[in-house]
Amino acid sequence: YPDQFVHLSGVALYLNSSLFNHDCRPNATRFNVGAIAVFRTNRLVRKGEELCISYIESDILCEPASLRNLELGGRDFKVRDPGDSDDDDDDDDDDADEMEEPELYRKIDEEAQEALLGLDPPARLENIALLLGDKDTADSFIRADRKELSLLQAVACTQLGYFSTALGHWEDCIAFAAVHCPPHDECLVCYSVHAAIVALASDQFESAAAHMRTALKTHAVAFGGGPQFLRMRYGKELEIFGRGNEKRLWQMIGLLE
């Protein structure tokens, strides 16, 4: 629904924020409140430890170094997998790595996502089923690709009113975020909010409460501000996707505070 979030889009340059270095296991995350950029730690940080963020999407951080370097886009540094030596930065070794892993790149990238989102929900589900049903294609997917397909299935099923099926796909996304993303990553909040929405729409009240509790707890650690801050940041999302259950969702949040 890109047209409904145009007012949230923009480009800005923050001089001091640009001084953060990259780490594939970042101990800090960034979010915005309007034009204000806020940085918070996502775990306990030792005295003197450098604060680092990720320059790439959090769902790629679990992938091999060759793919993370590809996503970093030719910066003046390269990341390595655990156990790699400094010699692995040599150009010859890089060429060898590329020859060994020629298919290791994101297949369900932004362009592919837009193409699938451009289809009506039934056609989108059919195309995703075809992709996953072809063994060679499915075997070439990285973990982030499978998560993106689960997300696209979740949205399509929500649009069609298949709420119980949508809940299963949102829970697949939640499981991915819990294991493969940095601690208290915002995608876990987003997926949990949507899981709560479809669970409530299918009258699965205990499941809805459990997912909203996860969203509240994760959001409180990652962003602070308590439940009211989550309501402020996700109000538009609940208005668009709430399926007429916005009042019940707010009541649930109030009971869980």
Side-chain angles (χ1 to χ4, degrees):
Y1 303 92
D3 294 340
Q4 294 164 312
F5 289 97
V6 170
H7 66 292
L8 299 178
S9 302
V11 177
L13 174 63
Y14 295 86
L15 181 59
N16 291 333
S17 302
S18 301
L19 300 177
F20 280 93
N21 283 323
H22 168 82
D23 197 301
C24 291
R25 299 181 66 183
N27 56 17
T29 55
R30 177 192 60 80
F31 67 99
N32 282 72
V33 180
I36 300 172
V38 181
F39 294 82
R40 284 177 62 91
T41 57
N42 57 26
R43 60 170 174 80
L44 293 176
V45 177
R46 299 187 305 273
K47 181 179 180 180
E49 183 181 352
E50 181 183 6
L51 295 178
C52 294
I53 62 173
S54 173
Y55 292 175
I56 59 179
E57 295 294 330
S58 60
D59 62 356
I60 293 294
L61 294 175
C62 65
E63 303 297 345
S66 57
L67 179 56
R68 283 178 275 139
N69 283 315
L70 187 64
E71 292 288 316
L72 283 165
R75 296 177 185 268
D76 60 354
F77 65 89
K78 290 188 176 181
V79 299
R80 297 193 296 269
D81 287 320
D84 287 349
S85 67
D86 292 339
D87 293 338
D88 292 327
D89 286 336
D90 293 342
D91 289 341
D92 292 343
D93 290 340
D94 288 341
D95 291 340
D97 289 343
E98 289 175 9
M99 290 177 64
E100 291 173 3
E101 299 179 319
E103 298 300 322
L104 191 61
Y105 62 92
R106 176 170 252 178
K107 312 296 191 306
I108 310 301
D109 56 11
E110 186 174 338
E111 183 178 345
Q113 293 170 37
E114 289 181 357
L116 287 167
L117 283 170
L119 302 173
D120 60 73
R124 191 185 318 150
L125 291 174
E126 181 179 353
N127 275 264
I128 293 173
L130 290 173
L131 289 172
L132 294 173
D134 183 276
K135 186 178 185 305
D136 290 338
T137 301
D139 287 348
S140 73
F141 288 147
I142 61 173
R143 285 170 287 197
D145 287 330
R146 292 182 177 277
K147 186 270 298 179
E148 286 297 337
L149 291 175
S150 291
L151 192 155
L152 291 166
Q153 288 172 308
V155 173
C157 289
T158 301
Q159 291 174 299
L160 292 168
Y162 304 158
F163 300 124
S164 293
T165 305
L167 178 59
H169 291 305
W170 285 120
E171 289 177 338
D172 287 342
C173 295
I174 289 169
F176 175 94
V179 173
H180 297 300
C181 292
H184 315 296
D185 194 79
E186 179 158 26
C187 66
L188 180 58
V189 181
C190 181
Y191 301 155
S192 297
V193 166
H194 281 278
I197 289 172
V198 295
L200 194 59
S202 57
D203 294 328
Q204 300 183 53
F205 304 110
E206 291 185 5
S207 178
H211 287 304
M212 188 57 75
R213 190 177 291 110
T214 297
L216 286 165
K217 180 180 178 180
T218 305
H219 191 273
V221 174
F223 307 106
Q228 293 302 320
F229 193 24
L230 181 139
R231 293 180 65 164
M232 182 187 80
R233 298 187 70 235
Y234 280 83
K236 186 68 174 178
E237 201 126 350
L238 292 176
E239 176 187 331
I240 294 172
F241 301 107
R243 312 293 299 193
N245 290 308
E246 297 92 332
K247 185 175 181 180
R248 296 168 72 195
L249 286 164
W250 294 132
Q251 289 173 340
M252 178 178 292
I253 292 173
L255 292 172
L256 294 173
E257 290 181 20

